[in-house]
Amino acid sequence: MSQSKLPIDILKNEFGYVSFRRGQEPVIDAILRGDDVIGVMPTGAGKSLCYQIPAILSKSTTVVISPLISLMKDQVDALVQNDISAVSINSTMEWDDVVSTFNLVAEGKVKLLYIAPERFNNKSFLRFFHSIKVELLVIDEAHCVSQWGHDFRPAYLNIAPVIASLSKRPVVAAFTATATPEVQEDIKIRLGLISPLIIATGFDRENLFFQVEHPDIKIDFLLNYVKKHRSHSGIIYCSTRKNVEEVCSKICRTGISAVRYHAGLSDEERKSNQEAFISDEVGIIVATNAFGMGIDKSNVRYVIHYNMPPNMDAYYQEAGRAGRDGLPADCILLFGAKDITTARYFISQIENTDIKKADYKKLRVMLNYCHSEKCLRASILSYFGEEVEKENCGSCGNCKSEAELVDITESAKKILSSVYRMKESSGGRNFGSSILIDVLRGSKKAQIKALGFDKISTWGIMKEESVKSLRRKVDFLISENFLQTEDTEFPVLSFNQKSIDFLNGDSKLVMRQKGEKRIFKDSSLTSEKLPEGTMDEELFEILRSLRKQLSTEEGRPPFFVFSDKSLTAMAIAQPTNRSKFMAMPGVGEVKLEKYGKDFIRVIKSWKENKLY
Ligand code: ADP
Ligand code: MG
């Protein structure tokens, strides 16, 4: 591809950003050199810019294949907002409109054309496609081509044959957030990529703060949190419709507005609730996992899981909807013992025994995450097979916890001995944690007596401890692998080499003090630099309402005008002329012309009023 302008100029002038993020430059360079690429970058990393910049530099139209109409629409709207000519063709369009779009492209007036993969099933589209010059073909959400991934989409298999049928092969660039090596290899083969450069920046999302809480009363924790974060936008995930209803109405009763979202609602209500959330009309959406696919709201400041999801894949995907704008965001999981019962019940209903077994195993990993005292980020990354550079990230709930460490060596030995004695006295049987805890607390239940456990030496050796505290210790021993559990609905506990070594050895075991974690966060974690200084909250609110007003006038969500990050920067630097305003992140030439005057006027008058 020939070019006179540099990618960095486009980044600055068209998109208003100062510097490239990790991975963007090498991908752009490879495309411009004419190499195929696979870009594997986490959600929110900025994959779109990797192909949009080459598309802007190219003389021909870049065709982008994307799986969802809503995703296409958002991308096209955002580009048009920056005066970059982008269009999409989708199944909801009238034929006349499709034809006029064809004409626009044929006349060379379109930089980016977004289509769904199903377009390639359509004869007239294919005829059109063969008639135009395409130098770059992009496949977004490329994991959809792979049966390994969870979003397999058969129409993605049409792409390779169509590429092969072109007289001149374009550069092919594939993007995904799903990083496993199997999926990467599958993408390469099934899309027919030619020695692609693979750029994987890893799974980590530095701006996300991970936290697990075991609150006594979840709803209290939640209400307290949302009250403290009134001006922020958040998603609250629940495992059942019933919980969605309850949580949503409890939030509303405090005077904070929230909307609900689950499969039991009418299409209209779901649609209007989603829209109200995306356009910042309401700050909170309470939802089941039905909500989220294809939602691109960049300023979600927190995702709270009111119930534990059944596995890490689901958790990371849902939690990952926070902080797509790169600003700090919270991902909090509220754990309760009941969540385990619910999750096990759902899995027990699965008929296929292989899948069932695999799901119990995934649940175990999720539980370990909930009970772990180690770095949460490290545990997520290692689950996804990523090498963990630092054992402590220094920015998750566990790394930041101020709770004291307590020595639980004695308790752990008592618990493990009891598992051993129970097995010994029952002819080699293993038991679940409830019976174990009954024995340790010296219960006189009929079942305990019938098993003869009231006669063994560990009966009642921890009778002064509460069930809750014992349960926490047992869960901790499981998560640290001192006790083994099976992957079944009612798992029993058993010994392994680690438990034997620990019982016979003299190593110490420490655990964090119980109770709500006191966490001290600093906000130094932003990956892209905001201006130096502190943000004025009042000015931020004023700018937010100006943004709301402008976006309503345009009939678009507020973050199409400016992201929260741009507003934050403005509320810090308080720019009062065009060149200072241009230096704000997210402000390019187009947005400077479009909104500069209004924002500068408001900032000026706010500053003047403050002088009195
Ligand atoms: P994804 O990788 O999930 O497709 P997007 O392409 O949607 O991510 O980008 C997420 C957000 O990051 C968008 O708001 C985008 O404008 C912003 N972004 C992308 N690149 C940069 C950059 N170099 N500097 C600042 N913001 C960026
Ligand atoms: Mg994307």
Side-chain angles (χ1 to χ4, degrees), residues 82 118 130 143 214 277 289 337 359 388 426 496 557 567 571 588 605-606:
N82 282 318
E118 283 76 11
H130 280 104
H143 59 280
H214 296 232
F277 176 67
N289 62 6
D359 281 3
V388 178
S426 61
N496 59 25
L567 296 193
S605 91
W606 175 80

Side-chain angles (χ1 to χ4, degrees), residues 309-369:
N311 57 60
M312 274 305 238
D313 305 78
Y315 180 63
Y316 201 54
Q317 189 167 52
E318 286 160 14
R321 298 195 172 116
R324 296 189 59 147
D325 52 10
L327 283 176
D330 287 341
C331 303
I332 305 174
L333 197 163
L334 303 185
F335 178 84
K338 239 177 109 184
D339 295 335
I340 310 180
T341 326
T342 316
R344 287 216 177 101
Y345 172 76
F346 280 129
I347 299 174
S348 75
Q349 301 303 101
I350 297 172
E351 279 181 14
N352 181 318
T353 47
D354 287 341
I355 295 179
K356 193 189 264 188
K357 213 166 156 213
D359 281 3
Y360 278 127
K361 202 163 176 183
K362 288 181 184 167
L363 174 63
R364 170 48 50 206
V365 176
M366 192 70 236
L367 281 170
N368 288 350
Y369 177 80

Side-chain angles (χ1 to χ4, degrees), residues 175-372:
F175 294 93
T176 179
T178 303
T180 65
E182 285 110 315
V183 175
Q184 285 173 29
E185 186 58 24
D186 224 23
I187 289 174
K188 180 179 148 188
I189 292 167
R190 287 169 188 271
L191 289 178
L193 302 182
I194 301 174
S195 22
L197 179 74
I198 299 181
I199 302 227
T201 60
F203 256 92
D204 193 16
R205 306 261 318 268
E206 283 178 17
N207 60 321
L208 300 186
F209 188 91
F210 292 98
Q211 190 177 339
V212 176
E213 289 287 344
H214 296 232
D216 286 331
I217 302 170
K218 285 185 184 182
I219 193 73
D220 290 352
F221 179 97
L222 184 78
L223 293 179
N224 194 12
Y225 184 95
V226 298
K227 274 186 213 153
K228 272 196 206 139
H229 296 83
R230 264 171 203 279
S231 59
H232 288 161
S233 186
I235 306 174
I236 296 161
Y237 278 111
C238 301
S239 60
T240 63
R241 297 176 191 182
K242 193 168 146 259
N243 282 351
V244 168
E245 296 293 339
E246 271 176 32
V247 169
C248 189
S249 66
K250 280 188 178 143
I251 294 173
C252 292
R253 245 176 274 155
T254 68
I256 296 172
S257 54
V259 289
R260 55 189 183 161
Y261 192 102
H262 59 67
L265 302 172
S266 69
D267 284 353
E268 288 126 74
E269 181 177 348
R270 270 205 311 255
K271 199 163 173 238
S272 78
N273 288 353
Q274 173 174 324
E275 229 123 77
F277 176 67
I278 292 195
S279 66
D280 277 347
E281 246 160 73
V282 292
I284 298 172
I285 193 158
V286 187
T288 59
N289 62 6
F291 176 76
M293 175 68 168
I295 303 290
D296 183 14
K297 181 172 164 62
S298 68
N299 65 339
V300 175
R301 291 273 69 82
Y302 59 86
V303 171
I304 297 180
H305 278 77
Y306 194 74
N307 301 107
M308 177 187 70
N311 57 60
M312 274 305 238
D313 305 78
Y315 180 63
Y316 201 54
Q317 189 167 52
E318 286 160 14
R321 298 195 172 116
R324 296 189 59 147
D325 52 10
L327 283 176
D330 287 341
C331 303
I332 305 174
L333 197 163
L334 303 185
F335 178 84
K338 239 177 109 184
D339 295 335
I340 310 180
T341 326
T342 316
R344 287 216 177 101
Y345 172 76
F346 280 129
I347 299 174
S348 75
Q349 301 303 101
I350 297 172
E351 279 181 14
N352 181 318
T353 47
D354 287 341
I355 295 179
K356 193 189 264 188
K357 213 166 156 213
D359 281 3
Y360 278 127
K361 202 163 176 183
K362 288 181 184 167
L363 174 63
R364 170 48 50 206
V365 176
M366 192 70 236
L367 281 170
N368 288 350
Y369 177 80
C370 293
H371 294 298
S372 173

Side-chain angles (χ1 to χ4, degrees), residues 35-56:
D35 289 338
D36 284 0
V37 290
I38 300 180
V40 187
M41 303 171 179
T43 311
K47 292 186 281 295
S48 316
L49 276 190
C50 294
Y51 62 80
Q52 287 167 349
I53 289 181
I56 292 168

Side-chain angles (χ1 to χ4, degrees), residues 65 70 108 127 160 162 236 271 276 355 392 400 445 542 553:
I65 297 167
S70 64
R127 215 172 307 123
V162 172
I236 296 161
K271 199 163 173 238
I355 295 179
N392 286 303
K400 279 277 175 199
K445 281 181 189 162
I542 292 170
E553 281 167 19

Side-chain angles (χ1 to χ4, degrees), residues 117-173:
E118 283 76 11
R119 280 294 113 193
F120 285 153
N121 293 332
N122 180 298
K123 285 226 173 67
S124 15
F125 181 82
L126 278 178
R127 215 172 307 123
F128 158 75
F129 189 69
H130 280 104
S131 75
I132 57 170
K133 188 174 156 211
V134 177
E135 287 180 318
L136 173 60
L137 180 71
V138 176
I139 297 110
D140 205 4
E141 313 292 341
H143 59 280
C144 292
V145 80
S146 168
Q147 262 128 339
W148 294 103
H150 34 80
D151 294 322
F152 175 58
R153 177 91 163 251
Y156 268 69
L157 295 174
N158 296 339
I159 300 170
V162 172
I163 296 175
S165 73
L166 293 172
S167 53
K168 188 166 182 306
R169 189 181 182 280
V171 174
V172 184

